[in-house]
Amino acid sequence: QVQLAESGGGSVQAGGSLRLSCAASTYTSRMYCMGWFRQAPGKEREKVATIQYDGSTWYADSVKGRFTISQDNAKNTLYLQMNGLKPEDTAMYFCAVGGASCSTYLGQGTQVTVSS
């Protein structure tokens, strides 16, 4: 069982930035895939960004050029730098690790609210 603890969410105005962090209870260097998902009220959970064991990254079209996923294996921590935030980015953001889907284990989430 992997424990994940997200932090860094909050309320910002459109155009602002936030950096989400996810502390893992296991060695992130051994994870095949890690990622960030989000779920807005009344909507299905969607994948936002992933990072593979080889460092390759993937982003949803809606966040490309604005969000950056990274990891610090020395701290077993995953990050999501979010710039140019938009009201449509408002959601609960979840850290996830493991498996080809990058979602074998999910954290409890951190709320991001962007006001116009």
Side-chain angles (χ1 to χ4, degrees):
Q1 188 75 14
V2 177
Q3 305 296 322
L4 302 168
E6 302 96 334
S7 61
S11 297
V12 296
Q13 290 191 328
S17 298
L18 286 172
R19 187 176 81 154
L20 304 184
S21 299
C22 172
S25 64
T26 188
Y27 294 107
T28 54
S29 60
R30 297 178 182 176
M31 289 292 107
Y32 178 80
C33 182
M34 296 179 286
W36 290 93
F37 292 72
R38 68 186 181 187
Q39 187 166 19
K43 295 187 177 181
E44 293 190 356
R45 189 173 66 204
E46 64 171 337
K47 187 162 54 179
V48 175
T50 63
I51 184 165
Q52 302 277 2
Y53 66 97
D54 61 357
S56 59
T57 57
W58 174 92
Y59 297 93
D61 287 342
S62 58
V63 307
K64 276 182 184 176
R66 300 188 298 122
F67 290 12
T68 302
I69 189 171
S70 62
Q71 63 187 90
D72 184 337
N73 291 330
K75 297 181 179 179
N76 294 323
T77 300
L78 181 69
Y79 301 100
L80 184 68
Q81 178 67 44
M82 305 186 294
N83 299 327
L85 283 161
K86 303 176 181 180
E88 51 263 44
D89 294 319
T90 295
M92 183 72 78
Y93 283 71
F94 300 90
C95 169
V97 300
S101 65
C102 298
S103 59
T104 300
Y105 300 101
L106 263 69
Q108 293 298 308
T110 185
Q111 179 67 38
V112 172
T113 302
V114 185
S115 58
S116 57

